Amino acid sequence: MEEKKWYSLHVQSGFEHRVKANILKALKEEGLESKVEEIFIPAVEKVVFKVAGKEKGEVPLHGEPRIHEVEGEEGKKVVFRIEDGRVCVESCECEKKKCTPDKPIEKIGQKIKCPENKVEAKIELRDRLYPGYIFIKADLDKNVQSAIRRVPRVLGFVSAAGKPVVVPESEIKAMIERLKKGVPKVKKLKFEIGDKVKIKEGPFIGFEGTISEIDPEREKIIVLVNIFDRQTPVELEFDQIEKIS
């Protein structure tokens, strides 16, 4: 038997967990499940809480058992228990006691609702490191490749010269460590290259110019300002400028 190695598979973004389930099903139907050791989605399963459609927080699905309290309509509380990869309603102050379902949820896409308080807990895949990619540790012979490629929403293996590229085990471990530490939230930028802005602080206060470069990590921006009839690049911080409407 060939040594199993890691490979990267490009799939339709947003359907990573569904593709994983369908791959496992397809392999089982063709008697090839022993060829695949593991399928890894570089993301975190989380319980997302909403009230009247607005997000009110999230917690990991796996890890230490926890109790999470959500205040719904008219201040009434719904208490959820998250334990052993399952979510259930511990208690609820609704009058009709119609929180659904009455059984714990444990799979991505499943949800529990309290219609009266408009509270919802749903299991979602969050903090994706590489949206649209999953990783498969397998003895990737032609039969396995063929079975996987036929699964809906599979776009193909990451390949070179027509052969799937092996992903080093160290890279997979590094992804797992990043997920454990937490994936930094990407800030939504207020500015875009080409925006007309006005400088509101510093030695160039009152000058107007055009954004030519943006550095999101340092929160720095380069503005081309007309000084003595020449376009001069000026480095500024995000809070030193404002858009000109």
Side-chain angles (χ1 to χ4, degrees):
M1 183 180 291
E2 290 286 331
E3 179 188 358
K4 293 181 175 67
K5 297 177 182 179
W6 284 102
Y7 300 90
S8 177
L9 185 66
H10 189 196
V11 304
Q12 188 174 341
S13 184
F15 293 88
E16 294 89 349
H17 67 285
R18 195 173 300 178
V19 170
K20 176 181 176 179
N22 287 336
I23 287 174
L24 293 172
K25 181 181 178 182
L27 292 171
K28 186 174 182 180
E29 288 175 351
E30 299 195 26
L32 297 169
E33 63 266 40
S34 64
K35 293 276 191 175
V36 175
E37 183 176 322
E38 186 178 351
I39 299 179
F40 169 56
I41 302 175
V44 180
E45 292 181 352
K46 290 192 173 183
V47 187
V48 180
F49 303 96
K50 293 182 180 180
V51 177
K54 294 182 179 180
E55 195 166 314
K56 297 295 181 179
E58 59 180 41
V59 300
L61 177 63
H62 301 283
E64 293 295 319
R66 67 178 70 206
I67 298 293
H68 191 85
E69 187 178 278
V70 181
E71 189 172 295
E73 296 285 280
E74 300 178 0
K76 294 181 179 179
K77 296 173 183 176
V78 184
V79 180
F80 297 93
R81 174 180 289 277
I82 301 97
E83 187 174 8
D84 296 329
R86 293 181 168 190
V87 186
C88 64
V89 175
E90 181 85 352
S91 64
C92 183
E93 295 179 348
C94 64
E95 295 176 3
K96 297 179 181 179
K97 306 299 179 187
K98 288 187 177 180
C99 298
T100 57
D102 54 0
K103 294 181 180 179
I105 58 173
E106 56 187 329
K107 295 180 180 179
I108 294 170
Q110 290 183 329
K111 65 177 72 173
I112 295 177
K113 286 184 176 181
C114 175
E116 186 178 325
N117 288 323
K118 298 183 180 178
V119 170
E120 172 186 300
K122 184 179 180 182
I123 299 175
E124 296 185 11
L125 205 59
R126 292 277 175 112
D127 297 349
R128 291 180 176 87
L129 286 179
Y130 301 106
Y133 290 88
I134 64 178
F135 296 83
I136 300 176
K137 190 174 187 180
D139 171 8
L140 201 64
D141 62 21
K142 291 183 179 179
N143 291 331
V144 174
Q145 289 187 51
S146 179
I148 290 173
R149 286 192 172 111
R150 290 198 299 269
V151 171
R153 296 191 172 91
V154 167
L155 304 178
F157 285 94
V158 176
S159 304
K163 293 184 178 181
V165 175
V166 174
V167 179
E169 182 89 27
S170 59
E171 290 295 323
I172 302 298
K173 290 179 179 178
M175 290 181 214
I176 293 170
E177 286 303 311
R178 282 184 64 190
L179 291 170
K180 286 179 180 178
K181 292 177 182 177
V183 180
K185 299 292 184 184
V186 178
K187 293 183 179 180
K188 187 175 181 181
L189 297 179
K190 297 183 292 183
F191 307 103
E192 296 180 1
I193 292 174
D195 281 350
K196 302 291 184 182
V197 296
K198 183 175 183 179
I199 301 172
K200 58 182 184 178
E201 287 183 14
F204 298 99
I205 188 170
F207 279 72
E208 296 180 0
T210 305
I211 294 174
S212 64
E213 296 179 35
I214 300 175
D215 187 338
E217 292 184 4
R218 295 172 55 234
E219 294 193 359
K220 298 285 187 180
I221 210 156
I222 302 294
V223 177
L224 293 178
V225 179
N226 193 336
I227 301 175
F228 303 121
D229 295 324
R230 292 181 59 185
Q231 289 290 300
T232 304
V234 178
E235 184 178 81
L236 300 159
E237 296 182 358
F238 284 2
D239 58 4
Q240 289 182 295
I241 61 173
E242 61 185 4
K243 272 188 183 182
I244 299 173
S245 56

